[in-house]
Amino acid sequence: MTRFRIALLSAASLPLAACAVNDADVATAADAAAEAASAAMEEPVEQVSSERERLYELFAKADADELELSPLSAMFRGDFERADQLGDFYTDALEAKTKQLAEDNLASLMTIDRGVLNATDQLAYDVFKLSVEETLSDYEPAIARINRARPINHFFGLHTFYPTFESGQSAAPFATVKDYENAMSRHAQYGEIIDRVIGRFR
């Protein structure tokens, strides 16, 4: 910013200098001032672009990582490559992966200079940060113990979602034999998941 101010002052002084120098000198001075102003602005613009790119690369990676852990979320995106799978619900392995990804995402976010982002990107930064922090709050020891001891309730859990998902009116298609085979595979996994839930309750 200081260099930019100096460049502006140099440009502003040209009318006065023109009284004592010829046109060629004025043109040379004007070109120099313009180059100085351009150089002063170039670095901040590049920094803004770089930080914005890093932010959205982080968003893309976090989204891809989440989809990798959740075949159901992928199906809602129209990706049926793993339509025969429900996901690794209510397991220590899934919880460890989810927690690690959240920690990694927050660490990566903290390396991005929020101050150089525009207002819209700052809002995106803040919302992502809040979402990651809320995820991590579920893994605080006191809360984690409760969640493991009570994995589902009458308001929340896979059991409240699954019937609608398999109704034929949601993301799961029922148009081909393969669709029905995928559903049968998911049903078998659902039984295993409920057994894990019962185990945690016990």
Side-chain angles (χ1 to χ4, degrees):
M1 183 60 73
T2 301
R3 288 182 293 169
F4 183 57
R5 288 174 178 166
I6 293 173
L8 288 179
L9 289 173
S10 298
S13 68
L14 288 178
L16 295 177
C19 297
V21 297
N22 58 38
D23 291 343
D25 292 334
V26 171
T28 300
D31 289 342
E35 289 177 4
S38 176
M41 293 298 291
E42 184 176 358
E43 181 177 339
V45 169
E46 288 181 352
Q47 184 182 8
V48 171
S49 177
S50 174
E51 295 302 273
R52 186 177 194 276
E53 288 176 1
R54 292 179 60 216
L55 179 66
Y56 282 85
E57 285 173 359
L58 174 59
F59 291 166
K61 182 181 182 304
D63 185 58
D65 289 339
E66 182 177 346
L67 291 177
E68 182 65 26
L69 295 180
S70 177
L72 294 182
S73 295
M75 290 176 68
F76 277 99
R77 301 279 189 90
D79 179 359
F80 301 106
E81 183 177 351
R82 295 178 295 156
D84 62 331
Q85 302 174 35
L86 280 180
D88 200 16
F89 285 89
Y90 308 113
T91 65
D92 294 342
L94 178 63
E95 291 171 0
K97 290 178 183 176
T98 302
K99 182 174 182 288
Q100 185 62 58
L101 286 175
E103 290 173 342
D104 292 346
N105 288 337
L106 186 59
S108 296
L109 187 68
M110 292 298 98
T111 68
I112 297 173
D113 187 353
R114 180 186 181 279
V116 304
L117 301 172
N118 64 34
T120 299
D121 291 340
Q122 285 182 346
L123 180 59
Y125 179 108
D126 293 342
V127 170
F128 183 77
K129 182 172 182 287
L130 178 62
S131 175
V132 172
E133 289 174 340
E134 287 181 343
T135 296
L136 288 174
S137 71
D138 289 337
Y139 295 97
E140 294 177 1
I143 296 177
R145 283 196 299 271
I146 293 173
N147 288 339
R148 291 192 182 100
R150 190 189 60 183
I152 64 175
N153 57 49
H154 53 302
F155 290 117
F156 179 78
L158 181 64
H159 64 300
T160 66
F161 159 82
Y162 192 67
T164 301
F165 179 77
E166 296 288 3
S167 68
Q169 305 299 314
S170 185
F174 286 93
T176 68
V177 172
K178 180 61 175 174
D179 291 338
Y180 283 89
E181 290 174 346
N182 288 338
M184 294 298 292
S185 175
R186 293 192 299 266
H187 292 341
Q189 293 169 47
Y190 179 76
E192 295 172 358
I193 289 170
I194 296 304
D195 284 342
R196 287 202 291 269
V197 168
I198 294 171
R200 286 197 169 190
F201 273 125
R202 288 176 174 167

